[in-house]
Every structure is written in structure tokens, then in C-alpha cells.
Amino acid sequence: MNRSDLPTTGLVFWPVGTGDSTTILVTGDDIIQVDLNHLVDAEGDADPRYPVIDELVELLPIRDGKPYLAVFVATHADTDHCRGFKRLLEDEGVVIGELWFTPRLVADIDAEDPDSLSDDAAALCDEAVRRLEIYRDSTDVASGNRIRVIGYHESLEGYFVGLDEVVSVPGTEVTVFDGVDHDGTVRLFIHSPFKDDMESMERNRTSIGIHVTLRCDNGVGRALLLGDLDYQPIKRLLESTDDHANKEWDVYLAAHHCSKSVMYERVDGSDVLRADVLDLLDSAKADFGWIVSSSDPIPASNTSGDNPPHAKAKNRYSEHCDEFLCTGEHPDQDNLAPIVFKVTTTGITFVGATPDGESSAHDQVRASRGNTEPVAAAVGFGCR
């Protein structure tokens, strides 16, 4: 897929199986990548999933002879969020202008059992430490070595002492990426990880959670990307965020690949629904809201102990959104395509027809409001 095939400003959710690979397209050539799940099997023609590294290398601009990625956000070090990172960095030679990670990432490399990390997670940790060492020696750090450490770091003073300028805690908004100010075009608001979750035994609870705002003149698109967070931190971040603009969503990436852990808690061996978090998500939804599951196709039902995606989660989400989409089912399981949203002067729209060829629910809502142009038929892309 070429850059011209995608919006100038928007979001791409790649079909990469059960794992996260989200691309934020910023006006101009800058691209922000949130997580990576490159499957070797997807490189074969028979597999409908996308080899996301191959796609990224095609999209990225070339600077000084190498592919350039403005920012890579590593929400956490689970394999399905960083699979392929070593190849991206070493084999493809992609220059990552700025790397975002949590202090937990560095703690993982020093853990009692560092071999529990995948090769890609270890490569991610090594790259983070390499950049930290550069910051210790210089206050003038160039693109390709920059970092932003997300979360609190008191427990890891040895690594971060004197580096407060690169640490951003929840509640911080960011508009400068790899030294370029994109104020008015893209803003990332940091929601998590919370301080008391930083040393959690559950790596998922240390996930970086962000709110994305993309602008094109008066048009705006908003997305919630919450890594593998579960019920407690998601409820907390939605409750504690006073400014509605920092949690309002047009697109919500279903946390932990449509896991039921977002709205169910295990009590005495049974799943207990926590409807309060769904109500909070519902109250943060914009006029029209899409929920995207970055996962394999969602089964009609699950048995106890199944990994995500979970049918129970999809059923609950479907009650609180206008359109539910799954990367492993779009437009159908045998012929996958990325789920793409574009932001133009009129706002955010979903690009592409639904599997049955009918207009999407969003198109129908637009028509009911007097806008008869179907989103899927809109001519061209770009910020206009």
C-alpha cells in the first residue's frame, strides 16, 4: 500500500491477527506508530493478514537514504505489541526519530528472568537503554536517539536521574514529536500508566494509554488507544479525566484485543459485569462512535480460559457504539483490508464499504442529517 492510497490525516488499524498495530497519519510525511505485530506467516500470499512491517516501509518517507518513522509508541513489552521490532530497526534500517516507552520496559530487562522476554521485546529494551545512555551524556540529542518516558520513575532512579525533561506523566499533552511542533494538527494526551500500577506484576496494567486528537482545519477526529488495560485502570482514567476533550472518542480501540477483562471481573469463579465502565465509555462517545477490535475473528462464544477476543466483550461493546469493526473480519475473513479512518475539514469518517456492500451506519446517519455523499465514495483523500 502506497502513502497516496491513505488519508493525509487519519488512523490505520492493520489486520495483524490478535495484536496491535496502529498507524497515526499526520499531515505531511510524519507517521506515528503505536505498537507492532508483524507475523511471518502473513508474508505468504495465502495468509489474508498483512505483513505490517512491509506495509510500513512502503509508507515511510526516506530521509538521508533511510525510511523514517517520526515516533514509535511501545505501550508495553508483550510480544503481540512489539513483534517485528528487531527487524524494523536492524534489518529494514528504519530510523525511529523518537521512542516512547515506560519505566517498566527498562525494569523488564533487569528482571530476575530476562529470558522471559521475546527477542523483539529484548531488542526494544536494548534500544531504550541505548537512548537513555545518550541522554546521560548530552543535552542536545538528535533525531534517531530521542525518547519520551511515559509514567513515574522513582523506583528506577538509576536510569532516569537527571532526565526529568524526557519524562511525561499521565495528564500530560504532547504536540511536539521528534522536535517538530504539530500543534493544531495532532495532540496525544497521556492517560496511563498510573503511578501505583507501575510495579504491577501484570505488565498489561503498565500499558501506555493515550487519547489521540487529529485536526484538519475545523475538522477533528478523536481516538482512545489503551493498550492492554483492564477494568480498574480504564474506569479510573475515565473517571479522573475532568476535561471531556481528553476522553471523547470517535474511535475506541477495544483494549486488550476485545478482552472481557475491560468490563468483567472474576468473582468467586464467575464473571461479574461491571457496567459502570461501559457507562463511562458511553458518556465519552462522540455523536457517532466506532469500536475497533484488533484481533482474529471474534467467535460466537468462548470457553473458560480462552484468550481474547471474547464474544462477551463484543456483545457488550456493540450495545455502546454505533458500529463495531474487527480487523480480522474486515471486509471479510478471507479478504482482509486495513480499517482506515480519515480526518478532513468535515470531521472523521470511516473509509470503505461494509462487507455486504451496503452503506455504513455512519453514511446512513450522515444522510439523515442532509449529507448525501457516502463516505466510501468520497473522492480522494487529503486534509480538505
Side-chain angles (χ1 to χ4, degrees), residues 122-134:
L124 181 60
C125 293
D126 289 344
E127 178 65 7
V129 170
R130 183 191 74 81
R131 295 183 182 220
L132 281 166
E133 294 290 349
I134 291 173

Side-chain angles (χ1 to χ4, degrees), residues 248-278:
E248 184 175 16
W249 57 274
D250 303 285
V251 181
Y252 162 57
L253 178 62
H256 199 186
H257 326 298
C258 200
S259 170
K260 64 182 179 180
S261 66
V262 172
M263 71 289 289
Y264 287 93
E265 285 193 307
R266 200 73 175 165
V267 179
D268 296 330
S270 299
D271 289 334
V272 177
L273 178 65
R274 303 303 190 193
D276 52 357
V277 74
L278 292 170

